[in-house]
Amino acid sequence: MSPWTTLGLGFITLSLLVVLVLSGVLLMIYYVPTTEQALASTNDLEYVVTLGAVVRAMHRWAGHAMVLVVFLHFLRVLFTAGYSGRGFNWIIGMGLFLITMGLAFTGYLLPWDQLSYWAVRVGTNLFDQLPVLGHGLKLLVLGGDEVGQQALTRFYALHVAILPLLLAILLVLHLWRIRRDKGLVASQQGESQKSDTLSARPHLTSRQGIIFFIVVAVILVVANLVPAPLGPAANLHNPSNPEKTPWYFLWLQEMVSYSATVGGLIFPLFLMVFMAMVPALDKGGSMAGRWFGGRTEKIIVLLTLLAATGLLVGIEALYLKADIRNSAMSFLELDLFNPATATLALSVLGFFLSGIITGSTRAAVLCSATVLIVAVIVFTVLGMFRGPGWELYWPWEEWRLVL
Amino acid sequence: MSSNSNREDFRNRDTRRLKLALFASILLLFAAMGLTMYRQAEPDWKQKQEEFISTVDPAGSENIQILQVHACDGNVDRCTTCHLGIERKDISEKKLLNPFKPHPGGLLTYHPATRFGCSSCHGGNGRALTVEGAHKGPAGGKDPLLREPHIQASCGRCHVPGDAPGMEVLVKGARLYLGLGCTGCHPLGTQGKGSWDFGPDLTKIGRKSPEYLVTSILDPTANFADSSMPSFKLALGHDRKSMESLVVFLESLALAEPSACTKRTKAKIIVDMPCASCHAGPDSKASGVFSHKCPFIIEHKHELSCGSCHPSGPPAPSLTGKGRCPVVEKRRASCSVCH
């Protein structure tokens, strides 16, 4: 099977996980999870403990990298139809994705500096926007209404015990299912014939070794050159600018800034349910293991990519120009007219349109998924340009301070 | 047959290539580890200490090591790891450059660095061992407390403005705060700290950057669109020195009082032992002739009569210096402007 099919993303994730576990355990030796001592102990790690700064930076960058690589791995499996016939493992993979984001988010709070405190406070305030369940969920995670000692204790427990345990269980299942399913989904044409297989040792294990060593080396070099950020002490009364979540939640924050119900509840719910149902919706199993399936699917994905990017950027521009967040629209109108609702409509429309035109369920699924993924990326990028007051700023523009 | 030998060929070639690549990747990892060890072995502070020993103090017996102080306000300061000459009066005649300069003035006689540390007055991050990390303030960039006159804001952590020499800018700022009527909307509590009234609590913004504070005073809506605060451009716009002193006073409001550094907290001096602080006699008992020690009252003596603060005649001081003086209790809103 060609390395260009999998890109080794699954194994890179696994390598990053090994780096994260080892560096994380080392950090645990010095880190103290109390509001008084968290930043002090992180400072000690950064400046006094032998190799502490490097280990901390490795943990930080490997964590960010893992979120990114898991996302890419998810895209790979989606667009090569690696899920076909493996609905169970696909769901496990989604669970692993969510746990990865949970680990990244809980780890963000632990240094207890200005940046981490406010990012988490803004992130958990997103919960409050959710109807019905939101506030209860926030209370469960924070152990109160404010981000304080209770929240730090809970985030620490989640970060070092609960989520890693869940991750380990799901990861074992994930890998076990791959083995049960006789390896990765391979293209039907030629490659999967028995005579054409190679023994795992050394042809697979050596490749894995190479990937692992390169991943560790790259993380180590990056950790040496770019220290992990560590700001001043968390000032509970003094929000730093901007009030932003970590980058992997910016798309949510961007959508919630328009409509909490659609952006914070309906869109994520739709995204998860739709992605979970992908193996069931896609009935064209013959093209598995190839990027974008057959010719029809390739054309559909390419068209959707162009159309969705154009349309979504256009819609965003339109809404920004109309400045609907500050207009006199009611909440109901805002729920109807906002980028998240437009994305959902576009996604459903694309599903039926491409399904009817091509007659291929794979094309319909990929079209719909592409719209959603493009939206997430567009919203994330847009969120990066947001400044104080959630106004758009160019990177070279200075942020206007707001009390 | 030929396809079989082709496969055999491919296997052998692949195995050879993999061995090479594996070897290269391990080499890469070793190189990365080497880089790490190299950077770990020679941190900036070690180079500074070597420089100090070789140029300033070749006869000394210093070891290369991290020096740290557990300061009375709970901070851990490692500043003296690089600022090695700070308490070395014996080498003060030499022209030393930073970071080896001795501390100017006699301040360290009353505030020995071994007890008070450095960051309790100078701010920054005392735990850090890099130039940038150690000097960074809460608003990003270099901590303003590190330079004159902002450093005087730190005096206000333990001292009532004016109760010791060397904080003239802070005293000037405190008087401006009173004179411009800031207390009308931003009153100060018993510890000389603020509380929310008509305007927001100023203890929470004092550690924004000085530029931010200046902007807020001259053009309140620039940072806070809904502000109804008047602009102080006329009073302060062209008086840079006064502006600066007011900023220093605002900065002092945001600094916490370190209870373990002083024997008597400011609140205790002002409220709990008010009689003794003005009428101090033997054993801290109130006695002697009435005289105000407050610089503001002395300065405005000609405008004030006893009746302007004590409408029902001069009070009888309570018998001991302990307990709360009823007059001070009542009038402390105006006292606490400075205190």
Side-chain angles (χ1 to χ4, degrees):
Chain A
M1 173 163 210
S2 161
W4 298 113
T5 308
T6 70
L7 301 171
L9 290 166
F11 195 77
I12 293 177
T13 312
L14 201 59
S15 307
L16 287 170
L17 184 65
V18 171
V19 172
L20 281 164
V21 170
L22 292 181
S23 57
V25 168
L26 289 176
L27 292 178
M28 275 177 75
I29 294 173
Y30 284 96
Y31 177 74
V32 183
T34 65
T35 51
E36 292 89 28
Q37 287 295 307
L39 182 63
S41 56
T42 313
N43 259 312
D44 287 354
L45 264 166
E46 186 70 18
Y47 294 108
V48 181
V49 176
T50 306
L51 293 176
V54 172
V55 171
R56 200 174 83 83
M58 281 178 83
H59 195 72
R60 180 87 167 207
W61 301 134
H64 283 306
M66 187 161 156
V67 175
L68 190 69
V69 176
V70 168
F71 177 63
L72 295 177
H73 178 58
F74 163 80
L75 290 189
R76 193 286 287 176
V77 177
L78 179 68
F79 286 118
T80 58
Y83 52 75
S84 66
R86 298 167 182 216
F88 181 55
N89 213 4
W90 173 253
I91 303 273
I92 292 174
M94 283 181 57
L96 284 167
F97 194 174
L98 291 180
I99 292 173
T100 305
M101 287 183 69
L103 277 164
F105 186 61
T106 48
Y108 213 89
L109 180 69
L110 301 185
W112 202 255
D113 61 352
Q114 180 77 340
L115 183 77
S116 62
Y117 176 84
W118 283 97
V120 167
R121 187 152 151 178
V122 172
T124 47
N125 278 347
L126 288 182
F127 289 156
D128 255 349
Q129 312 263 2
L130 301 185
V132 193
L133 275 180
H135 192 68
L137 204 64
K138 184 181 163 184
L139 283 182
L140 182 71
V141 173
L142 294 187
D145 267 320
E146 289 295 313
V147 180
Q149 179 60 57
Q150 275 297 320
L152 184 58
T153 309
R154 286 180 188 211
F155 270 53
Y156 185 65
L158 281 168
H159 189 73
V160 304
I162 301 167
L163 291 178
L165 200 66
L166 280 175
L167 185 81
I169 294 169
L170 289 192
L171 184 64
V172 168
L173 277 173
H174 198 59
L175 299 179
W176 171 71
R177 283 304 310 182
I178 294 173
R179 212 165 156 82
R180 270 290 300 262
D181 293 334
K182 303 203 170 59
L184 307 172
V185 169
S187 154
Q188 298 296 305
Q189 281 143 348
E191 280 190 75
S192 67
Q193 287 157 26
K194 182 101 183 155
S195 62
D196 220 28
T197 54
L198 293 163
S199 55
R201 226 173 74 183
H203 301 283
L204 179 62
T205 49
S206 292
R207 282 187 168 82
Q208 291 178 335
I210 293 165
I211 292 177
F212 177 75
F213 289 131
I214 290 179
V215 166
V216 179
V218 167
I219 292 290
L220 195 53
V221 169
V222 171
N224 264 297
L225 300 182
V226 193
L230 186 61
N235 187 338
L236 277 50
H237 307 294
N238 206 349
S240 66
N241 287 303
E243 297 175 47
K244 275 186 178 182
T245 59
W247 60 270
Y248 35 82
F249 284 134
L250 279 179
W251 55 283
L252 267 177
Q253 202 183 356
E254 173 66 28
M255 292 190 305
V256 168
S257 77
Y258 285 101
S259 157
T261 321
V262 178
L265 187 70
I266 297 177
F267 187 96
L269 214 60
F270 180 85
L271 186 67
M272 279 197 280
V273 171
F274 173 78
M275 288 303 175
M277 281 171 58
V278 159
L281 291 172
D282 178 4
K283 303 213 184 333
S286 65
M287 290 295 189
R290 281 175 37 164
W291 277 92
F292 311 116
R295 226 178 105 80
T296 340
E297 287 83 4
K298 279 197 183 72
I299 293 170
I300 286 289
V301 169
L302 190 69
L303 282 178
T304 316
L305 192 66
L306 293 175
T309 313
L311 275 172
L312 282 171
V313 170
I315 289 171
E316 270 287 354
L318 207 69
Y319 281 131
L320 281 173
K321 200 157 184 324
D323 198 18
I324 59 165
R325 284 190 303 117
N326 297 327
S327 68
M329 284 170 89
S330 70
F331 282 117
L332 196 68
E333 284 174 306
L334 264 177
D335 284 345
L336 279 175
F337 298 102
N338 70 72
T341 314
T343 307
L344 291 178
L346 217 58
S347 174
V348 174
L349 186 75
F351 184 83
F352 288 111
L353 213 61
S354 51
I356 289 164
I357 290 172
T358 63
S360 154
T361 49
R362 165 88 35 91
V365 166
L366 290 189
C367 172
S368 204
T370 307
V371 172
L372 294 174
I373 289 161
V374 166
V376 168
I377 295 173
V378 167
F379 294 153
T380 305
V381 171
L382 206 65
M384 289 175 178
F385 289 110
R386 295 288 193 179
W390 212 242
E391 301 292 332
L392 268 189
Y393 286 81
W394 293 112
W396 55 86
E397 253 183 316
E398 210 177 321
W399 279 335
R400 207 163 141 265
L401 296 168
V402 177
L403 184 78
Chain B
M1 197 59 213
S2 77
S3 91
N4 249 1
S5 70
N6 270 350
R7 244 178 59 214
E8 200 60 35
D9 236 31
F10 175 77
R11 262 183 210 167
N12 289 338
R13 259 189 301 130
D14 195 50
T15 313
R16 250 179 290 128
R17 265 191 321 208
L18 282 177
K19 265 188 190 151
L20 207 67
L22 196 60
F23 183 68
S25 66
I26 291 175
L27 266 189
L28 187 70
L29 182 57
F30 275 134
M33 285 173 167
L35 175 73
T36 312
M37 297 319 287
Y38 170 75
R39 288 172 60 91
Q40 177 71 30
E42 275 299 307
D44 295 349
W45 65 265
K46 243 179 216 181
Q47 295 170 18
K48 279 289 162 214
Q49 290 202 343
E50 279 157 9
E51 191 187 327
F52 183 81
I53 290 171
S54 63
T55 61
V56 183
D57 201 20
S61 55
E62 286 99 343
N63 296 319
I64 300 283
Q65 60 184 339
I66 295 172
L67 301 166
Q68 68 178 19
V69 173
H70 287 264
C72 52
D73 67 348
N75 286 344
V76 171
D77 283 352
R78 308 196 170 105
C79 314
T80 45
T81 305
C82 291
H83 294 285
L84 283 159
I86 215 81
E87 284 192 293
R88 292 285 296 270
K89 291 230 167 73
D90 54 314
I91 50 172
S92 63
E93 66 272 14
K94 290 184 192 169
K95 288 257 181 275
L96 289 180
L97 292 173
N98 262 333
F100 304 139
K101 272 187 186 169
H103 198 282
L107 270 176
L108 290 197
T109 322
Y110 306 104
H111 307 89
T114 43
R115 179 167 138 70
F116 290 89
C118 307
S119 63
S120 50
C121 295
H122 291 284
N125 178 8
R127 286 177 187 258
L129 284 171
T130 61
V131 175
E132 204 197 316
H135 299 159
K136 199 188 275 177
K142 202 170 170 183
D143 198 323
L145 289 189
L146 282 164
R147 58 186 152 90
E148 279 285 356
H150 297 272
I151 176 67
Q152 293 190 18
S154 299
C155 304
R157 291 186 79 184
C158 304
H159 292 281
V160 173
D163 78 349
M167 49 175 117
E168 290 72 21
V169 177
L170 179 67
V171 173
K172 187 178 177 191
R175 285 182 190 163
L176 274 171
Y177 193 84
L178 181 74
L180 292 169
C182 305
T183 42
C185 297
H186 309 282
L188 301 174
T190 49
Q191 292 172 313
K193 303 293 177 186
S195 58
W196 179 279
D197 190 27
F198 188 73
D201 181 352
L202 294 185
T203 60
K204 291 171 184 172
I205 66 156
R207 295 242 63 199
K208 294 251 184 197
S209 68
E211 294 74 31
Y212 177 96
L213 296 175
V214 169
T215 309
S216 273
I217 294 166
L218 296 183
D219 180 12
T221 52
N223 292 326
F224 190 41
D226 297 335
S227 173
S228 55
M229 174 173 149
S231 161
F232 284 83
K233 210 169 232 161
L234 273 179
L236 297 164
H238 37 78
D239 188 354
R240 220 176 53 80
K241 284 251 144 118
S242 297
M243 187 76 231
E244 197 168 42
S245 63
L246 187 57
V247 166
V248 170
F249 181 69
L250 291 179
E251 284 170 335
S252 83
L253 293 181
L255 300 171
E257 187 172 4
S259 54
C261 286
T262 46
K263 288 182 195 104
R264 285 186 297 176
T265 61
K266 286 201 286 182
K268 220 172 172 56
I269 297 168
I270 298 163
V271 179
D272 288 351
M273 297 177 65
C275 312
S277 61
C278 289
H279 310 264
D283 305 324
S284 295
K285 288 204 171 141
S287 70
V289 184
F290 175 87
S291 79
H292 278 294
K293 284 188 177 174
C294 168
F296 182 82
I297 295 177
I298 296 166
E299 201 174 87
H300 293 259
K301 212 154 47 176
H302 57 283
E303 303 163 20
L304 300 166
S305 67
C306 298
S308 57
C309 283
H310 310 288
S312 48
S318 51
L319 291 175
T320 63
K322 296 197 174 92
R324 286 168 180 253
C325 170
V327 177
V328 174
E329 237 352 31
K330 212 171 177 181
R331 302 298 310 176
R332 71 166 183 245
S334 47
C335 298
S336 60
V337 171
C338 285
H339 309 292

